[in-house]
Amino acid sequence: MVHQQVLDKAFAALSDSTRRDILTRLGSGPATITELAEPFGITLTGIKKHVQVLEEAGLVTTEKIGRSRQCRLGTERLDDAMQWITFYQRLWERRLDGLDAYFTLRKGTES
Amino acid sequence: MVHQQVLDKAFAALSDSTRRDILTRLGSGPATITELAEPFGITLTGIKKHVQVLEEAGLVTTEKIGRSRQCRLGTERLDDAMQWITFYQRLWERRLDGLDAYFTLRKGTES
DNA sequence: TTGCTGGTGAACCATGTGGTTCAGTATACG
DNA sequence: CGTATACTGAACCACATGGTTCACCAGCAA
């Protein structure tokens, strides 16, 4: 299992829709801070902070080129998040198969 | 694609290691607030708040039985989170296959 | 050199979060 | 009945977060 802090940052980074949008945007190729800022109504400084959060979470990597900063996707941390969710889903499924399978029945009869 | 608010809450709920531990704990069967509180060094009120966050995120469901509250796992929202991550991973993979595949080369040559 | 452009950092603000304490309320037990 | 138990709610605290403004610095262009 992955280090807790890594998951903390990854999930926290993903918990903001602006940041998820940034990731989606970067999915179609690298972009600068100003390019990222345009679609949202917020300042450069604001976007810069978001990118920084994403970078510290390992979800994007950035590189200063001339006077602009290229941002592109990173992916390792996302795999960590996925891995935890998968693990947790197994827990859930195993629980259903186990002793208290009667919960499945109850679920079926609830209003 | 799922509603943004749903994802916000799900990811935010998952971004705390105490809450992830609670989910893991619930993986081995339902538990009351006091039972959940024991392993962590925090107060009942503290745990109650965490459970509330998890419940609002749709990750657990609770039911008041007598003077105690039974908490057990919910799962729909986790599927939503999983779904988004999967979608995002596809984005990433598609990007690698696309125009700027040269990034893969660069990645290999970075220090 | 002068000046525009893209990005940064510091300071500030309102709100949210993770935790506490303390004073209830409701149920079980004897 | 009285009392212990399990939780709940309000109020408070320190600190993080998402955003702003403003001043500034580094490159590029004329």
Side-chain angles (χ1 to χ4, degrees):
Chain A
M1 215 76 222
V2 203
H3 264 339
Q4 297 290 0
Q5 278 196 345
V6 168
L7 284 175
D8 282 8
K9 290 197 175 181
F11 282 128
L14 290 173
S15 75
D16 184 284
S17 74
T18 303
R19 284 195 291 264
R20 288 196 302 275
D21 286 348
I22 290 179
L23 289 180
T24 308
R25 181 82 195 281
L26 289 180
S28 56
T32 69
I33 303 282
T34 10
E35 282 164 2
L36 287 176
E38 268 181 30
F40 315 97
I42 69 183
T43 60
L44 277 194
T45 318
I47 288 288
K48 212 277 191 134
K49 279 192 179 182
H50 278 307
V51 169
Q52 208 159 326
V53 171
L54 288 167
E55 193 169 13
E56 279 166 13
L59 295 172
V60 315
T61 64
T62 76
E63 185 187 1
K64 185 105 189 187
I65 300 181
R67 62 182 159 179
S68 56
R69 174 176 297 275
Q70 286 282 332
C71 313
R72 48 204 169 78
L73 291 181
T75 185
E76 313 80 20
R77 294 308 171 235
L78 200 72
D79 288 343
D80 292 343
M82 177 75 114
Q83 197 178 327
W84 191 89
I85 289 188
T86 307
F87 162 78
Y88 171 81
Q89 282 186 324
R90 292 237 179 76
L91 262 191
W92 170 256
E93 284 156 13
R94 201 185 51 187
R95 197 178 86 72
L96 281 190
D97 294 343
L99 290 173
D100 34 20
Y102 88 95
F103 272 121
T104 19
L105 296 178
R106 290 199 54 187
K107 274 185 80 124
T109 57
E110 275 167 9
S111 66
Chain B
M1 213 76 224
V2 202
H3 265 338
Q4 296 290 1
Q5 278 196 344
V6 168
L7 284 176
D8 283 8
K9 290 197 174 181
F11 282 127
L14 290 174
S15 75
D16 184 282
S17 75
T18 302
R19 283 193 292 264
R20 287 196 303 274
D21 286 348
I22 290 180
L23 290 180
T24 309
R25 180 83 195 280
L26 288 180
S28 56
T32 69
I33 303 282
T34 6
E35 283 164 0
L36 288 177
E38 267 181 32
F40 315 97
I42 68 184
T43 59
L44 276 194
T45 318
I47 289 289
K48 213 282 192 125
K49 278 191 180 183
H50 279 306
V51 169
Q52 208 159 326
V53 171
L54 287 167
E55 192 169 14
E56 280 166 13
L59 295 172
V60 316
T61 64
T62 77
E63 185 187 1
K64 185 103 188 186
I65 300 180
R67 61 182 159 176
S68 55
R69 175 175 297 274
Q70 286 282 332
C71 313
R72 44 202 170 81
L73 292 180
T75 187
E76 314 80 20
R77 293 308 171 236
L78 201 72
D79 287 343
D80 291 343
M82 177 75 114
Q83 198 178 327
W84 191 88
I85 289 190
T86 307
F87 161 77
Y88 171 82
Q89 283 187 325
R90 292 237 178 75
L91 261 192
W92 169 256
E93 284 157 12
R94 202 184 50 187
R95 197 179 86 73
L96 281 189
D97 296 342
L99 290 175
D100 35 18
Y102 89 96
F103 273 120
T104 19
L105 297 178
R106 290 199 54 186
K107 272 184 82 124
T109 59
E110 276 167 8
S111 65

